[in-house]
Amino acid sequence: DGFNTRAVAAGKAYFGSATDNGELSDAPYLAGLSNTADFGQITPGNAMKWDAIEPSRGTFTYTNGDAIVSLAEKNGQKVRCHTLVWYSQLPNWVKSGGFDNATLISIMKNHITNEVTHYKGKCFHWDVVNEALNEDGTYRSNVFYDTIGPAYIPIAFATAAAADPAAKLFYNDYNIESAGAKSTGAQNIVKLVKQYGAKIDGVGMQAHFIVGSTPSQAAQTTNMNAFVALGVEVAITELDIRTTTPATAAAVTQQAKDYAATVGACKAVTKCTGFTIWDYTDKYSWIPSVFSGQGAALPWDANLKKKDEVYNAILSAW
Ligand code: XIL
């Protein structure tokens, strides 16, 4: 019994975790990640991003991404491939290249075609475009938007679909987990891609939450249903729930409830098809490096010890 066993019993495709190449030499960590009772899916935290895959123009390096895919194959886990087009972790040759519209479209298409073809048949999901929106729901200024306009998004989806028709293609973002301008913006992206005649299968809710200010289960359910009404599925793709460190006992109790709210929302929505936490242990969480003084965001602590209260709350919410 575990997270994945319960999620699958509830009709979901998987419960999974992000991971990263540097962590795989930690044997106790690897054993936990490979326990398919808990994790039926993995997401490479960095290995498939543009700066890792095509650090210079036309030079593709797949070693780290391949290592994650091989591990998943060995364990019998699905892979959410992450991510093709994102303003961050984008090499300078793209970011500051000064390319004209046609050239940047061809660079983007070449990147997507090469990477999606390399992983054809191996990616259950692809996060095709990541974080294209500002908080007010308008398009985020980045080299793709500034050079190509909003069409870069449907072009990216159409290109990915051509390279691997079987992969489910996702738009992925944060702060779209409850109703508001940014969620509406993401719904408009779904409509845009469809209007263009390209395929979009789903929207990923990153869900990088804060203990005590996580959207309620009802708010998350309503929001997911707004996406489902547009003819796409949804997935929780990067859940973690951070707090001030060291975490107090009260914070951990609240965190357990907050995790249960997101599980409950996904459970309630048939078309919420999968659920991923952004690594499973505080030992390797990205939070402390980005949000100073924050952390303790995951169900296992920095010593790889299960937080029973949090773990059991997730388990029973399925
Ligand atoms: C994070 C990784 O976990 C870190 O290791 C890296 O330094 C920065 O990126 N949203 C995303 C993920 O879509 O790709 C980010 O991953 C976390 C926020």
Side-chain angles (χ1 to χ4, degrees):
D1 199 16
F3 292 166
N4 186 56
T5 316
R6 293 282 181 102
V8 170
K12 310 305 170 187
Y14 60 81
F15 188 109
S17 173
T19 190
D20 217 339
N21 298 79
E23 304 162 18
L24 303 179
S25 55
D26 176 341
Y29 168 84
L30 182 62
L33 180 71
S34 302
N35 174 12
T36 53
D38 281 323
F39 306 118
Q41 174 270 329
I42 52 184
T43 306
N46 287 295
M48 294 187 183
K49 292 172 178 175
W50 198 313
D51 62 351
I53 294 290
E54 192 185 7
S56 61
R57 190 171 178 178
T59 303
F60 291 83
T61 57
Y62 288 109
T63 319
N64 279 351
D66 290 358
I68 306 280
V69 168
S70 302
L71 174 67
E73 283 176 343
K74 185 173 147 221
N75 291 340
Q77 293 164 316
K78 295 179 164 62
V79 185
R80 290 197 84 257
C81 294
H82 172 85
T83 178
L84 295 167
V85 180
W86 188 26
Y87 74 90
S88 185
Q89 294 178 274
L90 185 64
N92 266 331
W93 73 267
V94 186
K95 207 184 285 188
S96 54
F99 301 110
D100 65 17
N101 178 306
T103 307
L104 190 59
I105 290 175
S106 99
I107 284 169
M108 187 182 76
K109 284 184 169 174
N110 185 57
H111 177 78
I112 294 170
T113 302
N114 203 304
E115 184 167 359
V116 176
T117 302
H118 181 84
Y119 290 117
K120 187 175 181 187
K122 316 244 180 208
C123 301
F124 185 60
H125 290 176
W126 256 116
D127 284 334
V128 177
V129 176
N130 199 36
E131 301 181 354
L133 294 168
N134 294 314
E135 293 307 296
D136 68 358
T138 58
Y139 290 108
R140 192 192 272 268
S141 168
N142 63 39
V143 71
F144 303 107
Y145 181 74
D146 298 345
T147 310
I148 303 167
Y152 88 87
I153 298 173
I155 293 169
F157 277 86
T159 307
D164 187 355
K168 288 195 176 185
L169 305 184
F170 277 66
Y171 174 71
N172 192 53
D173 212 333
Y174 62 94
N175 289 351
I176 60 164
E177 301 86 359
S178 58
K182 197 170 183 185
S183 173
T184 303
Q187 290 164 41
N188 288 337
I189 284 178
V190 173
K191 293 177 191 164
L192 175 77
V193 175
K194 287 177 179 271
Q195 272 159 16
Y196 185 92
K199 186 180 84 133
I200 177 166
D201 299 289
V203 173
M205 323 257 144
Q206 290 186 7
H208 293 294
F209 289 151
I210 300 168
V211 168
S213 51
T214 295
S216 71
Q217 179 172 324
Q220 292 187 62
T221 304
T222 302
N223 182 64
M224 286 179 187
N225 282 329
F227 285 95
V228 172
L230 301 177
V232 288
E233 55 188 76
V234 296
I236 299 296
T237 56
E238 306 186 9
L239 179 61
D240 49 27
I241 311 184
R242 62 186 182 267
T243 188
T244 305
T245 50
T248 62
V252 176
T253 297
Q254 182 62 44
Q255 185 180 48
K257 289 181 186 144
D258 289 345
Y259 266 102
T262 301
V263 171
C266 187
K267 184 183 175 182
V269 176
T270 307
K271 285 281 179 186
C272 178
T273 54
F275 201 103
T276 307
I277 54 179
W278 204 243
D279 224 318
Y280 74 89
T281 160
D282 297 335
K283 186 171 186 180
Y284 297 121
S285 173
W286 71 304
I287 294 291
S289 66
V290 174
F291 302 93
S292 166
Q294 303 281 299
L298 293 166
W300 276 258
D301 74 13
N303 299 311
L304 296 176
K305 193 177 169 307
K306 206 180 259 182
K307 300 173 192 173
D308 287 329
E309 196 177 358
V310 175
Y311 186 90
N312 292 332
I314 295 173
L315 204 61
S316 40
W318 284 116

